[in-house]
Each structure stands twice: as structure tokens, then as C-alpha cells.
Amino acid sequence: MNAVLSTVVSGYPLEVRPFDGPVGAEVIGLDLDEPLDCTTLQRIHAAHLEHHVLVFRDQRITPRQQVDFSRLFGPLQIHVLRNFQLAGTPEVLVVSNIVENGRPIGLGDAGHFWHSDLSYKEKPSLGSMLHAQELPAEGGDTLFANMHLAYDTLPAALRDAIRGKKAEHSYLKQYAELQKRSPWRPNLTQAQIDEVPPVVHPVVRTHPETGRPALFVSEHFTTRILGLPQDESDALLAELFAHSVRPQHIYRHRWQPHDMVFWDNRSLMHLAAGCPADQRRKLYRTTIEGDVPY
């Protein structure tokens, strides 16, 4: 485990405590309700690049403050399912299983399949922030898979098979399946479908800030590897998916009240583990735009 790193925020020590696992660190002593100086922001950025998942504990901030903090890292992206935007704050996607007055207040099945946020966009997400509002007494964990480590540990034959390859990503890949599982997932309008056309990205992307290679395919959005017959593509993707989520690549986040988690979509995939339907769960998500993968 790396040594604890410290700086000072408004007179209080800020600690970055790496988890004993393949990704992740806990940030202690940070109050996002207070202004941030440049040194603190630089420390957060450096820690995010090193650990890929940062957990900010006990953040009692408003949605607008979450948006403002997220914007320090880049422009924000608006999810295509606008009916689950937070009223008055369209940059916030409500992730929730709560139903009020016969209608869901948020996207209840978000994260059902392993994925990297918005990989189906020409400019996929740099990172996402998820802020806990209500948490279930049982379940509700989020799993993160280190895709740098997944690439580094690929068997030689698999690495050779994907060298130079590109893959198609589509928001629609699992949409019909998700609708079968959930009565609340809405039909898409033609305008929404037109907003998310399929895109092509490298199977192995290079992190634009660290230069590290990472697998960049997921069961949720990757439809095929270009240049291969569909059956060969399916078989190769199945091997890559299975390898990516081996236990030694995964950190499991068990949420605490008011946690805000900031993860790097260029380095990770994530999965929502789910919770009992009678347990209320509500979180607010912001998503930061990245750049075109290469």
C-alpha cells in the first residue's frame, strides 16, 4: 500500500488513504462545501490519476455544488434519458429505485451490466461523480474493475488477437433487455436514438494523461470487433469480458452516508450490485466529458 499523502485545506489536513486493493483511495479531511485552493485541486487530480477511484467521505453538499466541483475537471455531459434529470439541475442524473406517485424518480437499473460511462459517445466520459442521498440497509454496492490491470494481465494470445483492433459501441445494445427487466425504463424517441448513433473506438485505449493502456470494451455497450465475423467477435469479446472482471481486478465500494465517489471512466468499468426492491436508494450523478479515445 502506498504511504498516506497529505496537504492542508483551510487549516485541516487532507489525507489520501489508498485501499488495499487493485484501485481506489479514501480522501479524508476534504469539505466540498468550502472553497478549494489550487494546491488542493492539483492533489485531488493527481490522486485520481493514480488511484482511479476516489471516495470523498461525508460530503453534505447541494446538487449545484456537485455540479460546480465536477466542472473543475471538464465540461459536463447530459444523459440522453432527460426524464431522469434532477429538476432545476439538468447536469445531474438521478439514480434511484424510488417510485413516487406511480412514477420512478430516477434511473433504477443504472449499472446493471459492466460498462464505462458513455463509451457509446464520440467523446466518452472522463469521469463520473456519484453522491449518496439515500442508501439501503442491505446491498447497493458498486464494483469497479481496473482495466489497466486487465490489459496488463492479458494472456499473450489474447493480446495478439486484439492488437490494433477497433470495436463498435452502441447505447442500444442492451436497451431492450433492460426494458424486459424493468417496467420503468422508457421507450426512446427517434430523436433520442439519433442522439446516440453507434461509434467506433480502439479495443485498447491509451489514457490521455498517464499514457497507460487499458481495455476499452464492455458487455453493456460493445457490440462487435470490426474486421471479424460476428461469431469470432462474440467469442473474443466474451473472453475479454470474463478476463476484465476477475476478482483480483475489482474493488467493491460499500457506501456510507454522504459518500461521493469520483471514478475515471478511461481506466475502469463499473457495475451496480443491486439491492432489495423494498430498500430505498437514491444517488446523484454528474458526468465529465473526456476526449476521443486513441
Side-chain angles (χ1 to χ4, degrees):
M1 182 182 293
N2 295 331
V4 172
L5 301 172
S6 298
T7 187
V8 173
V9 186
S10 302
Y12 297 94
L14 172 69
E15 294 185 350
V16 178
R17 300 177 181 172
F19 297 135
D20 189 12
V23 294
E26 181 181 46
V27 179
I28 306 296
L30 179 67
D31 183 357
L32 293 175
D33 194 35
E34 299 293 332
L36 292 179
D37 58 45
C38 290
T39 299
T40 302
L41 188 60
Q42 289 169 358
R43 277 287 299 110
I44 293 170
H45 181 221
H48 188 244
L49 292 178
E50 180 177 358
H51 302 293
H52 314 309
V53 179
L54 295 182
V55 179
F56 306 117
R57 298 293 189 190
D58 198 29
Q59 297 302 316
R60 299 171 187 267
I61 59 173
T62 66
R64 178 49 57 188
Q65 287 173 310
Q66 179 179 345
V67 167
D68 290 344
F69 178 62
S70 302
R71 278 209 175 104
L72 296 175
F73 299 89
L76 301 189
Q77 294 170 300
I78 305 297
H79 198 279
V80 67
L81 293 180
R82 290 176 177 80
N83 47 319
F84 296 131
Q85 292 172 349
L86 183 65
T89 315
E91 303 91 341
V92 172
L93 176 72
V94 180
V95 176
S96 180
N97 64 351
I98 298 170
V99 177
E100 294 180 349
N101 301 317
R103 297 177 63 86
I105 68 168
L107 187 58
D109 58 2
H112 182 82
F113 296 104
W114 282 102
H115 68 288
S116 173
D117 284 335
L118 277 62
S119 74
Y120 53 83
K121 302 285 281 185
E122 182 182 2
K123 291 183 177 180
S125 167
L126 176 156
S128 301
M129 297 194 193
L130 196 59
H131 188 207
Q133 306 296 311
E134 292 187 56
L135 296 174
E138 178 186 347
D141 298 349
T142 304
L143 283 66
F144 296 93
N146 185 334
M147 299 298 275
H148 296 301
L149 189 57
Y151 175 77
D152 291 343
T153 57
L154 275 176
L158 264 184
R159 190 175 296 196
D160 289 343
I162 62 174
R163 184 172 288 115
K165 291 287 194 295
K166 295 186 176 183
E168 181 185 79
H169 295 240
S170 172
Y171 180 66
L172 302 181
K173 181 189 176 186
Q174 301 281 12
Y175 203 87
E177 178 61 29
L178 289 169
Q179 284 189 306
K180 291 178 185 176
R181 295 167 180 261
S182 169
W184 303 117
R185 185 167 275 261
N187 292 325
L188 295 172
T189 66
Q190 188 59 51
Q192 287 174 309
I193 293 171
D194 293 343
E195 189 178 326
V196 287
V199 297
V200 172
H201 296 310
V203 172
V204 179
R205 70 173 298 176
T206 301
H207 195 290
E209 296 188 77
T210 67
R212 292 188 65 189
L215 279 180
F216 196 59
V217 293
S218 75
E219 64 176 353
H220 194 159
F221 298 128
T222 307
T223 58
R224 62 191 177 98
I225 295 177
L226 273 60
L228 294 180
Q230 190 65 50
D231 59 342
E232 292 182 24
S233 172
D234 291 345
L236 182 53
L237 285 172
E239 286 190 80
L240 295 173
F241 299 157
H243 176 81
S244 297
V245 298
R246 296 170 68 189
Q248 57 266 45
H249 300 160
I250 292 174
Y251 159 65
R252 186 181 193 108
H253 183 65
R254 294 176 170 84
W255 291 85
Q256 297 180 21
H258 307 290
D259 275 357
M260 187 160 78
V261 178
F262 178 24
W263 67 87
D264 191 334
N265 283 301
R266 303 164 298 184
S267 300
L268 305 172
M269 290 195 301
H270 61 281
L271 176 79
C275 67
D278 62 347
Q279 302 267 332
R280 290 169 64 98
R281 183 175 187 263
K282 180 171 72 172
L283 306 98
Y284 291 162
R285 193 185 88 179
T286 46
T287 308
I288 304 155
E289 184 178 75
D291 42 24
V292 177
Y294 63 90

